Amino acid sequence: AENGNQLAQYELAERYEKGEGIEQDLNQAKKWYQKVTQYTAPKDDLLQSYIEPYHCLAKMKERAENAKDALARVEAMLVGED
């Protein structure tokens, strides 16, 4: 995975996400899914069919985290804590 092998990166991301054989860590899963999706030309179509949903999932999780942070800032402003 560290050497840029997309399949290894994908499998490592999946293991982190599910906690299979390794402690579950969604931040590490996101990191590895993002590494896989950095490539503009995946090595094969089958791999791409696995990668795309996880890339979308990583983006959705990132947007949700950003929205959660923004909501917390707005709530803090409304109660005068910021």
Side-chain angles (χ1 to χ4, degrees):
E2 290 285 347
N3 293 325
N5 181 304
Q6 285 178 291
L7 184 56
Q9 290 172 339
Y10 168 79
E11 289 176 353
L12 184 57
E14 192 172 51
R15 286 178 184 240
Y16 271 119
E17 181 180 16
K18 296 177 180 178
E20 292 178 350
I22 195 167
E23 185 176 338
Q24 185 180 35
D25 186 332
L26 297 179
N27 289 325
Q28 282 294 317
K30 178 180 171 182
K31 169 189 155 184
W32 287 105
Y33 282 133
Q34 287 173 335
K35 283 185 179 279
V36 173
T37 59
Q38 285 176 333
Y39 298 93
T40 56
K43 294 179 181 168
D44 63 44
D45 290 335
L46 180 60
L47 181 58
Q48 181 64 28
S49 70
Y50 286 114
I51 292 170
E52 282 186 36
Y54 289 101
H55 176 66
C56 291
L57 180 61
K59 285 292 186 189
M60 288 181 352
K61 287 179 180 178
E62 183 177 335
R63 288 183 186 133
E65 290 171 9
N66 291 341
K68 183 179 173 184
D69 291 343
L71 180 59
R73 287 192 303 273
V74 168
E75 288 174 341
M77 287 173 30
L78 291 174
V79 295
E81 293 179 7
D82 209 37

